[in-house]
Amino acid sequence: MEFISLYELNKQVKQALKERFEGTIWITAEIASVQENRSGHCYLELVDKPAEEEKVTAIAKGTIWAFTYRMLKPYFETTTGRRLEKGMKVLLSVEVVFHEVYGFSLNIKDIDPTFTLGDLERKKREILEQLERDGIIDMNRNLELPPLPKTIAVISSPTAAGLGDFRNQLEHNSYGYRFHIKLFPAVMQGEQTVESVIAALDRIYAYENLFDVVVLIRGGGAQSDLGCFDSYELAANIAQFPLPVIAGIGHERDDTVVDRVAYLKVKTPTAAAAFLIETFQHAEALLEELRTDFLTGVEELLKEENKRLLLQIKDFKRLTQTLLQNRGTSLQLLSRRLEHHSKVFIYNRLSGFDRIRDRLSHRLDFIFDREKHKSVQYLAEVRRKCENRLAGDSHFLELAETKVKYVDPKNVLERGYSITRLKGKAVKSVAEVSANDILETILKDGKLESEVRSDPSPKE
């Protein structure tokens, strides 16, 4: 049986691959992972997946050596605005390498950024189309910004340079407007950005009624870190957020999916602050305009009403004079008739009052006599009841006095009885007395002391 060693096998495989792939070839793949080491080399894990599927059909390791990576990296990032990252489709010029120990790998010699750029735009377009199909792409844009957005929830990295600029411009604005800013920290670059920003939005949602607007700040980062803001999940959260979201995450020429769904996209965090200040200025200008219009309208209304009033006064004066002239004679006649009827009326009323007075006097005399008779009867009844009560109480007191005298100890002693005490307490039984006890006997006319010679025995 013929056989060869593993080394010989790998050596033959290496030779076969070298003869089959003498130069470089262009391949398409998806980046599964990216790792840069301290030496400047970049190691990639490349995978291949069928369209619209997640199943991996091929895996290979790729290496961009430091001297090549130093040229490819800036060229790729400048062209695409993105750095090499997980999930990105790339078109690579590779050299097929097989090592007897380390196995199969690809040495990457070149990258076509236009392929990746086209794929990124395709993905971005697909995300926007999905948002539109879901009916949420313009939800945040259609919200109404409060006239004075003074309470602001800020999502940013606490160390972001743009955050300081944003705060400084709002807090030291030359108009003296007062803003209340609350920071909700989040990671703003890298693979954790989407999850971190959504978590910050959830924390703001818990206090939705306290805030007027949300500002997303990423100032100071590289353009190549904007890829995480082309996420469907993050865009859907922002699009459906109940507060207007101002996105200040990129530069002038950048336009992410988040920028598209947010209420407003601004170039920088400073521009976001300027927009909020301008909103206050607009509200102030509107109020000043309304105040001016109100004052002008009031002045014009007062002038018109003054003119109308002067005309009415003139008409009233003229009509009054005419009326007084026409009614003068009638008033004189009415005055005389009124005077005559008044005298007759007063005379009749006085007579009536005299009759009423007489009737009232008679009625009062009758009532007085009746009440006086009732008072005499009531007084006699009270006197009778008091005498009966006193007699009853006197008899009760006599009975009580007799009972008291009957139970008085002195009366008992008068009848020949005595009281014996031991140490101040009355003796009721011989069992309470012992030999040598000194007893005190109380009689009607004095006290006696006696000593017990022996223990008394109770009678059986």
Side-chain angles (χ1 to χ4, degrees), residues 44 61 91-93 103 106 108 110-111 138 178 182 215 220 238 258 261 268 284 297 342 377-378 383 412 457-458:
L44 305 177
K61 295 178 181 179
L91 177 60
L92 307 172
S93 175
L106 302 172
I108 299 172
D110 197 2
I111 302 177
D138 291 322
R178 303 290 294 176
K182 171 64 178 176
V215 178
I238 291 176
V258 167
V261 300
T268 61
E284 186 177 21
S342 297
Q377 290 179 342
Y378 179 74
R383 182 176 297 169
V412 175
S457 300

Side-chain angles (χ1 to χ4, degrees), residues 26 31 48 50 91 102 107 113 126 146 154 193 210 224 242 286-287 347 363 387 413 434 448:
W26 287 93
I31 299 176
D48 197 9
L91 177 60
Y102 301 109
N107 285 344
E126 289 175 352
V154 177
T193 300
L210 300 179
S224 56
L286 180 60
L287 287 175
Y347 176 78
R363 181 64 177 171
E387 289 175 352
L413 295 176
S434 302
L448 297 175

Side-chain angles (χ1 to χ4, degrees), residues 87-148:
M88 182 177 288
K89 286 286 188 69
V90 288
L91 177 60
L92 307 172
S93 175
V94 300
E95 178 186 14
V96 179
V97 177
F98 188 87
H99 190 274
E100 292 86 345
V101 176
Y102 301 109
F104 179 81
S105 66
L106 302 172
N107 285 344
I108 299 172
K109 300 295 186 179
D110 197 2
I111 302 177
D112 185 355
T114 58
F115 175 85
T116 302
L117 189 62
D119 186 68
L120 293 175
E121 288 300 320
R122 177 187 60 79
K123 287 183 177 179
K124 185 186 298 185
R125 185 172 62 254
E126 289 175 352
I127 291 173
L128 291 173
E129 290 173 354
Q130 182 63 46
L131 291 168
E132 192 165 1
R133 284 194 300 271
D134 295 341
I136 62 175
I137 191 168
D138 291 322
M139 287 180 64
N140 198 261
R141 289 192 169 207
N142 292 334
L143 294 177
E144 184 176 352
L145 186 71
L148 297 176

Side-chain angles (χ1 to χ4, degrees), residues 172-317:
H172 301 93
N173 67 87
S174 58
Y175 305 97
Y177 301 142
R178 303 290 294 176
F179 295 90
H180 302 283
I181 303 169
K182 171 64 178 176
L183 175 64
F184 291 83
V187 177
M188 300 304 288
Q189 63 181 28
E191 295 181 0
Q192 298 180 355
T193 300
V194 172
E195 180 182 354
S196 181
V197 173
I198 291 176
L201 288 171
D202 290 340
R203 293 196 299 273
I204 296 172
Y205 181 73
Y207 303 96
E208 170 194 355
N209 295 331
L210 300 179
F211 297 102
D212 297 319
V213 67
V214 178
V215 178
L216 195 62
I217 292 177
R218 180 198 160 268
Q223 290 182 341
S224 56
D225 293 325
L226 290 173
C228 51
F229 295 99
D230 285 329
S231 160
Y232 173 83
E233 184 180 5
L234 178 57
N237 272 269
I238 291 176
Q240 298 175 88
F241 203 71
L243 296 176
V245 178
I246 299 176
I249 59 175
H251 303 283
E252 184 174 3
R253 73 181 186 89
D254 301 314
D255 190 11
T256 65
V257 176
V258 167
D259 291 324
R260 170 63 182 83
V261 300
Y263 175 83
L264 177 70
K265 171 201 171 183
V266 293
K267 301 175 184 177
T268 61
T270 303
F275 169 77
L276 294 173
I277 294 172
E278 288 172 3
T279 303
F280 271 67
Q281 287 179 296
H282 176 72
E284 186 177 21
L286 180 60
L287 287 175
E288 181 62 26
E289 182 181 350
L290 291 174
R291 187 183 73 86
T292 303
D293 292 344
F294 176 76
L295 292 176
T296 301
V298 169
E299 289 176 358
E300 293 178 355
L301 182 61
L302 288 175
K303 289 179 181 178
E304 292 178 1
E305 289 298 319
N306 190 37
K307 291 179 181 179
R308 190 169 64 85
L309 184 60
L310 290 174
L311 291 174
Q312 288 180 345
I313 290 173
K314 290 180 181 180
D315 292 341
F316 179 75
K317 184 177 180 181

Side-chain angles (χ1 to χ4, degrees), residues 420-427 432-434 437-440:
T420 302
R421 291 179 178 175
L422 175 62
K423 297 180 182 180
K425 295 183 178 180
V427 177
E432 297 176 2
V433 180
S434 302
D437 284 344
I438 302 299
L439 301 178
E440 181 184 43

Side-chain angles (χ1 to χ4, degrees), residues 234-453:
L234 178 57
N237 272 269
I238 291 176
Q240 298 175 88
F241 203 71
L243 296 176
V245 178
I246 299 176
I249 59 175
H251 303 283
E252 184 174 3
R253 73 181 186 89
D254 301 314
D255 190 11
T256 65
V257 176
V258 167
D259 291 324
R260 170 63 182 83
V261 300
Y263 175 83
L264 177 70
K265 171 201 171 183
V266 293
K267 301 175 184 177
T268 61
T270 303
F275 169 77
L276 294 173
I277 294 172
E278 288 172 3
T279 303
F280 271 67
Q281 287 179 296
H282 176 72
E284 186 177 21
L286 180 60
L287 287 175
E288 181 62 26
E289 182 181 350
L290 291 174
R291 187 183 73 86
T292 303
D293 292 344
F294 176 76
L295 292 176
T296 301
V298 169
E299 289 176 358
E300 293 178 355
L301 182 61
L302 288 175
K303 289 179 181 178
E304 292 178 1
E305 289 298 319
N306 190 37
K307 291 179 181 179
R308 190 169 64 85
L309 184 60
L310 290 174
L311 291 174
Q312 288 180 345
I313 290 173
K314 290 180 181 180
D315 292 341
F316 179 75
K317 184 177 180 181
R318 178 177 55 82
L319 291 172
T320 302
Q321 289 174 348
T322 303
L323 182 63
L324 289 174
Q325 290 173 359
N326 295 334
R327 297 294 182 179
T329 304
S330 299
L331 288 173
Q332 290 178 358
L333 293 173
L334 289 173
S335 177
R336 291 173 184 175
R337 292 175 62 187
L338 178 63
E339 183 179 359
H340 171 72
H341 286 295
S342 297
K343 290 179 179 179
V344 174
F345 178 79
I346 292 172
Y347 176 78
N348 293 333
R349 287 297 180 183
L350 287 176
S351 300
F353 287 150
D354 290 340
R355 290 194 298 272
I356 293 173
R357 182 189 60 192
D358 294 339
R359 291 174 61 188
L360 182 61
S361 177
H362 175 72
R363 181 64 177 171
L364 290 175
D365 290 340
F366 172 76
I367 293 173
F368 178 76
D369 293 338
R370 186 183 64 186
E371 294 300 322
K372 182 178 179 181
H373 178 69
K374 287 182 179 180
S375 298
V376 171
Q377 290 179 342
Y378 179 74
L379 181 60
E381 180 68 18
V382 170
R383 182 176 297 169
R384 183 182 61 78
K385 289 184 177 181
C386 289
E387 289 175 352
N388 293 338
R389 180 64 180 270
L390 288 173
D393 291 345
S394 177
H395 178 67
F396 175 77
L397 290 174
E398 289 176 356
L399 291 176
E401 184 179 4
T402 301
K403 291 180 179 179
V404 169
K405 288 180 180 181
Y406 180 76
V407 298
D408 188 351
K410 290 182 179 181
N411 295 331
V412 175
L413 295 176
E414 287 289 342
R415 293 197 299 271
Y417 294 97
S418 64
I419 300 174
T420 302
R421 291 179 178 175
L422 175 62
K423 297 180 182 180
K425 295 183 178 180
V427 177
K428 299 178 181 180
S429 171
V430 294
E432 297 176 2
V433 180
S434 302
N436 302 321
D437 284 344
I438 302 299
L439 301 178
E440 181 184 43
T441 303
I442 300 173
L443 302 173
K444 70 174 183 177
D445 55 353
K447 299 179 182 180
L448 297 175
E449 286 187 357
S450 58
E451 180 180 357
V452 179
R453 295 292 182 89

